[in-house]
């Protein structure tokens, strides 16, 4: 690993903290306010981020409506459509949206992203996910959630079809794919953008998820809590990438980090404590239970230990991360829920710009990552704090760019055109 770190700005309507919507400076209609989203994209571009990124779920996040109304993730635009608007209001920053292989078809998805890539002059990226929610499954007529392994069998073929549709030789020709899950005959009829094809992004950390990323991804998002775990994931995925016949440097690994930055450590801690105090117990508990895919927490004393929970068919790597952390740090159910609500299992940093830069530098130079996916606790405040305080500190240390290297997402990430 060498050079400078890559940065993604993971955007969300009011912020990544589950109680961000209750912050005094929150934008009340953030999820459906395109002007607000344009402002966030422009702040990130001013900070020279490689990309902005949106997650997605095809359903309301919580099964209980009264809890869905009390989170920062319940209302938001469909991300590909939103990115088309942001493309017209930015110039260089990459535009990455999540779309599931579980409830889409490869031809339609490949066409949508190829269009976004062309109209943005080569700045689009697709974050491939396999849907892990019973709520989403019910919205598409499925009889329950597909098993974890089955989801990835479908995802592997899906990614292969999309990649082939994005090849220059296939765009106006005949594809003739007939597989276990999909049949596609013709190309997209859309010319390639200046970067050739959209960037492929993935976030699966299970064994099959890592294998899929090693074969097909350009960028990998991951949630890790320690440099040891980050380095273990980094080394493993890079080795799998090489075994798949690709150069290890062809894939960029970006762990999530959720910083709260202040002029002093005391100020940063005060800002974070203010957010933590806004979490209703029932909301934090519901978020934790949804990620663990369990009802085992119902009725248990919140100050007692997390019970023994088996990893299920949901987000397996995130489930294991939460279980491991609760055991490692001896956290009660309430403490686990409050900690998880702050960044959903991602690495959390609270301190001055120098403190945050120190930790990021240690992970980057210590072989734990190629950069970071930044999850601001609330918007626009903490994104602005990061851009105005942390970015200059990283630049002063030579760890981050002072100008964009190119005009396309691939050029700025330092990966070859497709």
């Amino acid at each position: 690993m060498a050079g400078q770190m890559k940065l993604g700005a993971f955007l969300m309507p009011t912020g990544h903290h589950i109680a961000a919507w209750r912050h005094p400076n929150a934008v009340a209609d953030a999820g459906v306010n395109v002007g607000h989203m344009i402002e966030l994209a422009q702040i990130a571009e001013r900070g020279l981020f490689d990309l902005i990124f949106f997650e997605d779920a095809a359903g309301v996040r919580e099964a209980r409506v009264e809890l869905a109304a009390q989170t920062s993730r319940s209302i938001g635009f469909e991300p590909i459509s939103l990115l088309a608007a942001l493309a017209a209001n930015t110039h260089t920053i990459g535009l990455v949206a999540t779309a599931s292989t579980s409830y889409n078809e490869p031809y339609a998805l490949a066409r949508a992203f190829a269009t976004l890539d062309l109209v943005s002059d080569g700045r689009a990226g697709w974050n491939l996910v396999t849907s892990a929610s019973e709520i989403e499954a019910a919205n598409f007529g499925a009889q329950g959630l597909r098993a974890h392994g089955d989801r990835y069998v479908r995802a592997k073929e899906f990614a292969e079809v999309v990649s082939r549709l994005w090849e220059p030789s296939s765009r106006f020709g005949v594809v003739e794919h007939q597989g276990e899950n999909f049949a596609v005959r013709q190309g997209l009829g859309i010319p390639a953008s200046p970067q050739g094809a959209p960037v492929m992004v993935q976030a699966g950390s299970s064994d099959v998820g890592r294998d899929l990323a090693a074969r097909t991804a350009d960028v990998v998002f991951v949630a890790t809590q320690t440099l040891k775990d980050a380095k273990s994931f980094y080394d493993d995925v890079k080795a799998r990438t090489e075994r798949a016949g690709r150069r290890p440097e062809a894939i960029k690994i970006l762990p999530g980090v959720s910083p709260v930055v202040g002029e002093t450590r005391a100020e940063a801690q005060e800002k974070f404590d203010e957010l933590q105090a806004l979490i209703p117990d029932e909301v934090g508990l519901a978020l934790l239970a949804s990620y663990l895919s369990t009802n085992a927490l119902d009725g248990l004393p919140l100050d007692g230990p997390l019970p023994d929970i088996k990893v299920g068919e949901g987000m397996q790597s995130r489930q294991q991360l939460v279980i491991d952390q609760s055991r490692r740090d001896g956290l009660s159910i309430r403490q686990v829920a409050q900690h998880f609500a702050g960044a959903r299992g991602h690495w959390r940093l609270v301190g001055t710009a120098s403190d945050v830069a120190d930790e990021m530098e240690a992970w980057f130079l210590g072989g734990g990552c190629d950069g970071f996916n930044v999850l601001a606790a609330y918007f626009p405040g903490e994104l602005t704090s990061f851009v105005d305080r942390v970015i200059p500190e990283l630049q002063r240390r030579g760890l981050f760019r002072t100008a964009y290297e190119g005009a396309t997402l691939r050029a700025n990430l330092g990966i070859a055109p497709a």
Side-chain angles (χ1 to χ4, degrees):
M1 180 182 61
Q4 296 178 323
M5 60 179 66
K6 306 301 178 183
L7 293 179
F10 188 163
L11 302 187
M12 193 171 278
T14 57
H16 284 274
H17 194 284
I18 197 66
W21 67 278
R22 301 184 69 192
H23 191 278
N25 296 328
V27 177
D29 63 346
V32 290
N33 184 329
V34 70
H36 170 69
M37 291 300 178
I38 290 170
E39 178 188 5
L40 298 185
Q42 291 175 341
I43 292 170
E45 187 167 63
R46 177 167 64 82
L48 303 177
F49 277 77
D50 291 79
L51 57 91
I52 55 174
F53 162 67
F54 288 94
E55 67 162 2
D56 192 34
V60 176
R61 298 287 183 171
E62 302 292 344
R64 293 168 56 188
V65 175
E66 68 274 20
L67 293 181
Q70 298 186 63
T71 75
S72 60
R73 310 182 306 147
S74 299
I75 299 172
F77 292 109
E78 185 281 313
I80 305 177
S81 304
L82 174 60
L83 286 178
L86 301 189
N89 289 277
T90 55
H91 302 284
T92 311
I93 197 164
L95 309 164
V96 179
T98 297
S100 173
T101 59
S102 300
Y103 308 119
N104 283 295
E105 289 291 320
Y107 189 93
L109 185 143
R111 186 168 179 248
F113 276 101
T115 299
L116 177 64
D117 199 34
L118 193 61
V119 300
S120 67
D121 293 324
R123 296 190 281 139
W126 169 37
N127 179 45
L128 182 161
V129 299
T130 66
S131 296
S133 165
E134 294 280 4
I135 297 172
E136 290 180 89
N139 285 338
F140 289 86
Q143 299 301 309
L145 184 64
R146 287 186 177 94
H148 186 269
D150 293 343
R151 297 201 302 269
Y152 274 93
V153 168
R154 178 183 170 95
K156 179 177 179 292
E157 184 183 350
F158 197 117
E160 290 171 352
V161 176
V162 170
S163 294
R164 187 168 176 198
L165 286 166
W166 285 343
E167 291 174 357
S169 60
S170 300
R171 288 190 176 242
F172 294 94
V174 176
V175 175
E176 293 290 7
H177 174 87
Q178 183 69 53
E180 180 180 346
N181 295 282
F182 308 109
V184 175
R185 184 182 177 206
Q186 294 181 323
L188 298 174
I190 299 173
S193 78
Q195 71 172 351
V199 166
M200 290 275 278
V201 182
Q202 288 178 39
S205 298
S206 64
D207 189 64
V208 291
R210 296 183 193 202
D211 271 345
L212 182 61
R215 288 193 298 269
T216 63
D218 301 302
V219 176
V220 176
F221 294 149
V222 63
T224 46
Q225 289 283 338
T226 67
L227 174 55
K228 179 182 177 182
D229 289 344
K231 185 168 177 20
S232 174
F233 179 88
Y234 185 91
D235 291 343
D236 180 57
V237 173
K238 294 284 185 172
R240 293 180 193 230
T241 302
E242 192 165 25
R243 289 197 297 271
R246 304 172 63 202
R247 296 180 300 109
E249 58 269 27
I251 191 169
K252 306 299 180 184
I253 298 174
L254 309 182
V257 59
S258 185
V260 177
V261 188
E263 287 290 341
T264 65
R265 292 175 182 174
E267 179 190 313
Q269 190 63 50
E270 183 179 350
K271 290 167 70 176
F272 179 69
D273 290 344
E274 179 183 10
L275 281 165
Q276 289 294 92
L278 297 175
I279 306 171
D281 281 342
E282 63 272 21
V283 172
L285 188 64
L287 177 71
L288 179 63
S290 70
Y291 271 81
L292 291 175
S293 297
T294 184
N295 295 318
L297 307 182
D298 292 350
L300 294 179
L302 295 184
D303 293 319
L306 193 72
D308 289 333
I309 295 173
K310 293 183 179 180
V311 172
E313 291 294 345
M315 298 178 64
Q316 293 186 346
S317 58
R318 193 67 59 86
Q319 292 171 8
Q320 193 63 57
L321 181 149
V322 172
I323 293 167
D324 290 347
Q325 184 179 20
S326 72
R327 303 288 182 257
R328 182 180 67 241
D329 298 338
L331 303 178
S332 68
I333 294 174
R334 189 194 309 275
Q335 289 170 326
V336 174
Q338 288 180 338
H339 185 90
F340 193 71
R344 302 188 314 284
H346 289 279
W347 190 35
R348 194 174 65 200
L349 293 176
V350 180
T352 66
S354 181
D355 292 333
V356 171
D358 284 346
E359 295 292 337
M360 294 173 69
E361 180 176 11
W363 278 37
F364 181 65
L365 298 183
C369 63
D370 296 304
F372 299 91
N373 198 21
V374 178
L375 294 75
Y378 74 92
F379 292 115
E382 283 308 310
L383 180 61
T384 300
S385 289
F386 189 89
V387 167
D388 290 344
R389 295 173 175 175
V390 180
I391 292 291
E393 182 63 22
L394 294 173
Q395 291 170 331
R396 185 184 67 78
R397 301 178 187 204
L399 294 171
F400 191 62
R401 64 169 63 91
T402 56
Y404 282 115
E405 293 86 357
T408 70
L409 178 53
R410 288 180 181 273
N412 288 313
L413 286 170
I415 54 180

